[in-house]
Amino acid sequence: MKQKKHWYDFLWIVTPIYLGLGFFNIMFAWLGMIFFSVPLVIAIFGGGKLYCNRYCDRGQFLSLLGTKLKLSRNRPTPRWMVSPIFRYGFLIFFFAMFFQMLFTTYLVGAGAQSLKEFVTLFWTFRLPWHWAYHGTALPTWMAQFAFGFYSLMLTSTLIGILVMLIFKPRSWCVFCPMGTMTQLISKIKVGKMKKNETQARYSCECSCNKTP
Ligand code: SF4
């Protein structure tokens, strides 16, 4: 029997729209902050991996390309890619690059550097992108942040597509920084709940929270 489709099954469309909008106007890159904050908010408020399982546009986009359009070679995801060393290492690297981007934004805001109207792919290759900046009434640091953030989003999408082509469609999800973070938050929350349960079970009857 065919499964009923929900509105959130079509969220994959958000990925090409987001990247397309940033091609014409870089300030749309700010919308990416939604993809950054929503998964964390859901995980913090006890939703666990709900964002990954249901609402993530990129996860759906990779599934669509790899599974429905059969672009994936579907080879098993390598074990090193699944290892905690690689996953947490990539998370640290990703955040180091994120903070470097924030520092550049700060320098532009402070007037120590001029606005860099290019997109950096794979943290290395500079692509001219000046047509996407039309000047705004907003401060230049906001444009610099947009260029930096769009670089991160485009780079991570391309990495996702590359690993999708070679390995399983959603191999990116194995080491995606957002996935790693939401998993960490869920683990911490489960750990806290277990601790509370144990404390409650062993606390003395007057609820003074002392173990008997
Ligand atoms: S792991 Fe990342 S890309 Fe995959 S579903 Fe979760 S947030 Fe989306």
Side-chain angles (χ1 to χ4, degrees), residues 29 41 84 88:
V41 170
Y88 291 117

Side-chain angles (χ1 to χ4, degrees), residues 7-8 11 42 50-58 60:
W7 64 270
Y8 49 77
L11 283 172
I42 290 179
L50 180 67
Y51 180 83
C52 290
N53 297 334
R54 190 178 287 179
Y55 302 115
C56 178
D57 56 294
R58 186 179 297 180
Q60 288 184 14

Side-chain angles (χ1 to χ4, degrees), residues 49 51-52 56 58-59 170 172-173 176 178-179:
K49 304 277 287 178
Y51 180 83
C52 290
C56 178
R58 186 179 297 180
R170 285 180 73 156
W172 159 258
C173 292
C176 161
M178 296 315 296

Side-chain angles (χ1 to χ4, degrees), residues 17-72:
I17 289 179
Y18 175 79
L19 295 177
L21 286 174
F23 185 82
F24 294 106
N25 190 329
I26 198 66
M27 297 310 277
F28 281 112
W30 275 88
L31 291 176
M33 289 304 288
I34 298 169
F35 315 134
F36 237 61
S37 45
V38 171
L40 299 180
V41 170
I42 290 179
I44 288 167
F45 285 98
K49 304 277 287 178
L50 180 67
Y51 180 83
C52 290
N53 297 334
R54 190 178 287 179
Y55 302 115
C56 178
D57 56 294
R58 186 179 297 180
Q60 288 184 14
F61 186 64
L62 294 172
S63 288
L64 180 87
L65 297 183
T67 310
K68 284 214 175 128
L69 301 183
K70 296 191 175 15
L71 294 178
S72 173

Side-chain angles (χ1 to χ4, degrees), residues 123-207:
W123 300 283
T124 309
F125 308 107
R126 292 177 175 183
L127 298 184
W129 215 266
H130 49 86
W131 59 81
Y133 180 58
H134 310 284
T136 65
L138 300 167
T140 46
W141 68 263
M142 289 191 77
Q144 185 58 59
F145 179 87
F147 277 110
F149 199 68
Y150 188 80
S151 301
L152 273 185
M153 296 299 281
L154 185 58
T155 297
S156 52
T157 306
L158 289 177
I159 295 174
I161 291 174
L162 267 176
V163 290
M164 175 277 295
L165 290 171
I166 304 168
F167 307 114
K168 298 260 179 211
R170 285 180 73 156
S171 289
W172 159 258
C173 292
V174 165
F175 61 99
C176 161
M178 296 315 296
T180 309
M181 273 195 295
T182 49
Q183 195 176 31
L184 257 179
I185 294 169
S186 303
K187 270 187 185 170
I188 293 168
K189 284 190 87 82
V190 169
K192 269 189 182 169
M193 269 167 60
K194 277 191 180 157
K195 204 175 156 196
N196 288 346
E197 266 176 29
T198 317
Q199 270 180 354
R201 200 173 301 154
Y202 291 109
S203 60
C204 71
E205 286 189 341
C206 68
S207 309

